């Protein structure tokens, strides 16, 4: 299967036959080159996308992608000097928007495959609810994922979007959980909760907090227990200390109350982290037919830079019993970060009918596996670099938006495709000075 065309599904441990129709429908490169209409009136939105749209640019609704923005990434962090704002969110989308001044992205064949597969999973109870996006650097994994988030929200899905899992393992306030060897990351938990509140606040107010079975409480390294999936009318499982009191406060209320409760203060990392992981379990339960709504709610968990959840974190600690002059900093592994390990959703044993789509990154600033060893059956979708046809489309888009000084000829498009080897980021950098670099 690995010798097949690069945007076909690569499936580990499960049969790929279910997805054959999606894979073959999206690999026809002959229809991938359509004249770009970017910069003109009439760009379609994601609701109007179809197979006929493959190769064209379409407009994103930026109001549905607040988590992807750079200013949003600074929430709950100490302010920095102007010009030194904290980087975060979906950097690939930020760079594309900064270059072209538009919120348009190309609807690639691989995105048609991805959207079709996720949409089909919302209608059928299949075993293909764990999708991992892989591919070379600059191929467009992050753009495909952020496009999926916007598309799903347009379709009425409730989406938990993490634009970079690197934010879960570095930066911000962290604290030891009681006397255990595990750690709570307050800042990243609050960012996650704020993202859900801003994107789906009205919807969360209509969703009751369900009493979950004891099996649905967290186990080491997982957000969801071994037999998770069904709500129960019995008593809720008790947690010790402040977390127990917090959890009891929200029984019988809405998910909006649960999320808001985790944002009340900045001095209790355990409550913020528990609220975030409780929310994951509640969303999984809500995806089922008996999840408290008249019909199951389509739920999507979208996590970019997913492999950061499996390496060494940027946090460290010093033993209070050591001489400060000789103390050695002990790095913390992501196994010991409650939130990060709890969001390893591709390895969650039960997901109800929710869908998880994660994208790996090859540009790692911390030690982490390029492709983590996953235990649960999942489907791997390779995001290929730009084809020559997609390169021509991108160059036409850059000219139409005024980013490129001239419209590329066929020869120049061919040269740039060979030069960049399908790397979308390198293409964008070179397109800005197209007239100077190529004859």
């Amino acid at each position: 299967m690995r010798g097949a065309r690069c945007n076909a599904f690569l499936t580990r441990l499960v049969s790929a036959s279910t997805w054959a129709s999606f894979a073959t429908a999206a690999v026809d490169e002959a229809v991938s080159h359509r004249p770009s209409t970017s910069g003109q009136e009439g760009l379609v939105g994601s609701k109007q996308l179809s197979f006929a749209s493959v190769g064209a640019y379409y407009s994103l609704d930026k109001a549905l992608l607040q988590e992807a923005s750079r200013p949003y990434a600074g929430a709950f962090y100490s302010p920095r000097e102007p010009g030194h704002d904290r980087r975060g969110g979906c950097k690939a989308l930020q760079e594309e928007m900064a270059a072209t001044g538009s919120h348009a992205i190309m609807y690639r064949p691989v995105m048609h495959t991805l959207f079709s597969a996720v949409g089909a999973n919302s209608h059928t109870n299949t075993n293909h609810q764990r999708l991992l996006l892989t591919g070379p650097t600059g191929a467009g994994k992050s753009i495909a994922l952020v496009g999926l988030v916007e598309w799903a929200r347009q379709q009425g899905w409730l989406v938990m979007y993490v634009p970079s899992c690197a934010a879960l393992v570095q930066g911000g306030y962290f604290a030891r959980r009681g006397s255990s060897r595990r750690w709570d990351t307050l800042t990243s938990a609050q960012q996650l909760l704020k993202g859900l509140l801003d994107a789906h606040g009205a919807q969360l107010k209509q969703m009751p907090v369900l009493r979950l079975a004891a099996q649905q409480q967290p186990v080491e390294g997982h957000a969801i227990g071994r037999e998770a999936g069904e709500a129960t009318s019995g008593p809720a499982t008790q947690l010790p200390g402040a977390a127990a009191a917090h959890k009891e406060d929200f029984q019988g209320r809405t998910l909006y109350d649960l999320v808001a409760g985790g944002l009340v203060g900045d001095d209790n990392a355990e409550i913020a982290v528990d609220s975030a992981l409780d929310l994951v379990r509640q969303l999984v339960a809500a995806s089922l037919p008996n999840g408290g709504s008249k019909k199951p709610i389509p739920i999507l968990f979208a996590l970019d830079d997913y492999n950061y959840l499996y390496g060494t974190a940027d946090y460290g600690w010093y033993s209070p019993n050591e001489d400060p002059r000789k103390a050695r900093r002990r790095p913390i592994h992501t196994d010991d970060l409650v939130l990060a390990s709890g969001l390893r959703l591709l390895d969650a044993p039960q997901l109800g009918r929710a869908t998880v789509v994660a994208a790996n990154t090859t540009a790692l600033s911390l030690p982490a596996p390029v492709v983590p060893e996953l235990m649960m059956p999942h489907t791997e979708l390779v995001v290929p670099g730009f084809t020559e046809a997609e390169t021509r489309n991108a160059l036409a888009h850059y000219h139409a938006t005024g980013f490129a000084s001239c419209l590329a000829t066929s020869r120049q498009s061919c040269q740039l495709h060979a030069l960049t080897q399908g790397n979308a980021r390198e293409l964008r950098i070179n397109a800005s000075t197209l007239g100077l670099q190529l004859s």
Side-chain angles (χ1 to χ4, degrees):
M1 189 84 178
R2 289 190 180 275
R5 302 192 67 160
C6 55
N7 56 346
F9 276 118
L10 299 180
T11 306
R12 295 177 177 173
L13 307 178
V14 291
S15 171
S17 59
T18 306
W19 305 99
S21 60
F22 296 129
T24 55
V27 296
D28 185 2
E29 295 177 4
V31 300
S32 299
H33 179 45
R34 304 185 190 281
S36 173
T37 57
S38 56
Q40 305 174 23
E41 297 292 332
L43 270 185
V44 301
S46 57
K47 279 188 175 182
Q48 290 77 46
L49 292 175
S50 66
F51 182 64
S53 308
V54 170
Y57 274 76
Y58 73 97
S59 181
L60 296 174
D61 184 350
K62 65 177 182 178
L64 299 179
L65 296 171
Q66 295 187 54
E67 303 101 313
S69 68
R70 184 169 180 175
Y72 202 92
F76 304 105
Y77 287 92
S78 300
R80 292 183 171 181
E81 294 293 327
H84 298 277
D85 300 332
R86 183 174 296 278
R87 294 297 303 271
C90 181
K91 296 179 183 178
L93 182 61
Q94 293 168 18
E95 292 171 357
E96 186 76 15
M97 289 168 51
T100 64
S102 75
H103 297 87
I105 61 174
M106 189 194 304
Y107 189 51
R108 303 179 63 198
V110 68
M111 293 170 67
H112 180 74
T113 302
L114 176 62
F115 293 10
S116 300
V118 171
N121 189 61
S122 69
H123 302 298
T124 59
N125 191 12
T126 71
N127 293 323
H128 298 267
Q129 38 187 171
R130 300 172 179 84
L131 294 157
L132 178 64
L133 306 183
T134 61
T137 301
K141 300 182 290 294
S142 294
I143 292 292
L145 188 65
V146 77
L148 175 66
V149 171
E150 194 266 354
W151 171 85
R153 285 176 172 167
Q154 288 277 21
Q155 304 294 325
W157 289 57
L158 198 157
V159 184
M160 177 180 282
Y161 175 43
V162 181
S164 177
C165 288
L168 303 177
V169 301
Q170 60 186 0
Y173 177 77
F174 68 104
R176 187 189 291 273
R177 175 168 288 220
S179 58
S180 71
R181 295 181 59 87
R182 309 205 74 201
W183 300 80
D184 291 311
T185 46
L186 173 66
T187 311
S188 54
Q190 289 178 324
Q191 279 194 317
L192 189 66
L193 294 171
K194 177 174 169 55
L196 260 293
L197 205 65
D198 290 348
H200 299 286
Q203 195 172 359
L204 293 173
K205 288 180 179 179
Q206 306 302 317
M207 300 172 65
V209 173
L210 302 172
R211 291 182 178 270
L212 305 180
Q215 296 96 321
Q216 289 175 278
Q217 299 309 316
V219 294
E220 289 290 315
H222 294 291
I224 306 168
R226 299 182 185 279
E227 302 294 335
E230 295 186 359
T232 177
S233 58
T237 300
Q238 298 297 308
L239 296 177
H246 171 74
K247 192 174 182 65
E248 279 300 305
D249 286 344
F250 296 106
Q251 294 302 330
R253 299 177 69 184
T254 67
L255 294 191
Y256 184 95
D257 300 322
L258 175 63
V259 174
L263 294 170
V264 166
D266 347 345
D267 57 352
N268 196 316
E270 183 175 347
I271 284 181
V273 169
D274 282 344
S275 294
L277 295 182
D278 281 343
L279 181 63
V280 172
R281 291 186 287 276
Q282 289 286 334
L283 294 179
V284 167
S287 71
L288 292 166
N290 60 344
S293 301
K294 293 181 180 179
K295 61 179 182 178
I297 299 174
I299 303 293
L300 172 66
F301 298 99
L303 303 100
D304 206 355
D305 300 341
Y306 184 75
N307 40 334
Y308 269 110
L309 300 181
Y310 289 83
T312 301
D314 197 35
Y315 303 116
W317 64 283
Y318 295 90
S319 172
N321 300 322
E322 292 185 55
D323 184 339
R325 296 170 297 179
K326 302 178 181 179
R328 179 174 59 88
R329 182 180 183 271
R330 293 168 169 79
I332 298 174
H333 197 274
T334 52
D335 289 347
D336 297 322
L337 296 180
V338 179
L339 181 61
S341 61
L343 288 177
R344 294 171 178 174
L345 297 180
L346 287 179
D347 269 338
Q350 297 291 333
L351 290 170
R353 291 184 63 176
T355 300
V356 176
V357 181
N360 279 342
T361 178
T362 55
L364 295 165
S365 59
L366 293 171
V370 175
V371 179
E373 290 293 330
L374 302 176
M375 305 303 295
M376 297 299 296
H378 65 282
T379 302
E380 183 179 328
L381 175 60
V382 177
V383 178
F386 276 13
T387 64
E388 188 173 336
E390 290 172 333
T391 299
R392 290 197 298 271
N393 283 1
L395 292 173
H397 170 66
Y398 292 146
H399 173 64
T401 57
F403 179 58
S405 58
C406 60
L407 183 63
T409 65
S410 296
R411 177 170 175 267
Q412 289 173 325
S413 298
C414 182
Q415 287 177 315
L416 271 177
H417 178 255
L419 177 66
T420 60
Q421 292 293 296
N423 186 309
R425 183 175 183 274
E426 291 184 9
L427 177 65
R428 182 171 56 247
I429 293 172
N430 284 280
S432 64
T433 54
L434 178 63
L436 300 177
Q437 293 186 356
L438 298 174
S439 59

